[in-house]
Amino acid sequence: MTSKQPSNLDQVGQNIRDSAERAGRDPHAITLVAISKTHPVAVIRPLLDQGQRIFGENKVQEAADKWPSLREDYPGVALHMVGPLQSNKVRQALSLFEVIETVDRPKLARAIARISAEENSSIQCYIQINVGRESQKAGIDPEEADAFIVLCRDVLKLNVTGLMCLPPAGQDPRPYFSQLKDIAGRNDLEHLSMGMSGDYQIAIQCGATSVRVGTALFGARTVKTV
Ligand SMILES: *Cc1c(COP(=O)(O)O)cnc(C)c1O
């Protein structure tokens, strides 16, 4: 073989650039968060070797098992929490993550406010919005979003910089992505975390500033997750 096959990371990166250009957006304004949940460090290292530095995990314990050693070998890693966070794991989460994307209820927001003050942390927080109002999904209902953002940002003084959503499966995600963008716009929030392997190109058309991609980078997960 004379030419090297493009890696999954190359391909996803190219798709992000193409989608941004089609939407008339600056490709650099879109961050790829590589979702490495369930994958062992041996599978993650090749992405780090190719230069990827921003990753997402959905469990505190799994992040604690995998990332401290990887961080020693690869400076500049930023880790995003993308799964449900229990209040009693907040202290540990502050030591592991740069961004908590799943601030989804007052009790958790209050715990982050109290413990981050104790720890002198100003961890970035995104508010998770339950755009489809699905009972099985975490997140703040859209009509309660503005009040919850005020609580988190103005009352509790959290470093709220964005919103995150997981639209209902099997539906056109566009109206949900647009709804997230509207909420962010009227609340002056910069970051919009939306889009996964199946719909990140659509999310970029709808204004995503970060996309959370797992399967398209690592292949299918053999372990079932939420
Ligand atoms: C697993 C997960 C993803 C990645 O999903 P893929 O379809 O594998 O790209 C994105 N966001 C969240 C919150 C996840 O839990």
Side-chain angles (χ1 to χ4, degrees), residues 35 37 58 82 164 166 196-198 212-215 221 226:
I35 304 295
K37 64 186 184 191
N58 71 339
V82 300
M164 178 273 221
L166 276 157
M196 321 205 305
S197 291
R212 306 180 309 270
V213 178
T215 308
R221 288 176 291 275
V226 283

Side-chain angles (χ1 to χ4, degrees), residues 33-39 56-58 81-84 101-102 128 164-166 193 195-200 211-221 225-226:
V33 182
I35 304 295
S36 50
K37 64 186 184 191
T38 80
H39 296 293
E57 292 281 348
N58 71 339
M81 175 56 166
V82 300
E101 295 205 12
T102 48
Q128 182 175 356
M164 178 273 221
C165 75
L166 276 157
S193 171
M196 321 205 305
S197 291
D199 56 13
Y200 65 96
V211 292
R212 306 180 309 270
V213 178
T215 308
L217 292 170
F218 295 106
R221 288 176 291 275
T225 65
V226 283

Side-chain angles (χ1 to χ4, degrees), residues 106-158:
K107 185 180 179 211
L108 175 61
R110 289 181 203 284
I112 297 171
R114 179 171 53 81
I115 297 165
S116 59
E118 288 171 17
E119 305 274 338
N120 238 322
S121 153
S122 61
I123 191 163
Q124 273 195 66
C125 295
Y126 297 174
I127 310 290
Q128 182 175 356
I129 307 292
N130 187 0
V131 284
R133 297 181 178 81
E134 296 172 279
S135 58
Q136 80 281 13
K137 273 200 186 136
I140 295 288
D141 278 359
E143 64 273 17
E144 284 157 24
D146 294 351
F148 186 67
I149 292 165
V150 168
L151 171 71
C152 290
R153 188 166 56 182
D154 303 336
V155 180
L156 298 173
K157 310 288 184 206
L158 295 182

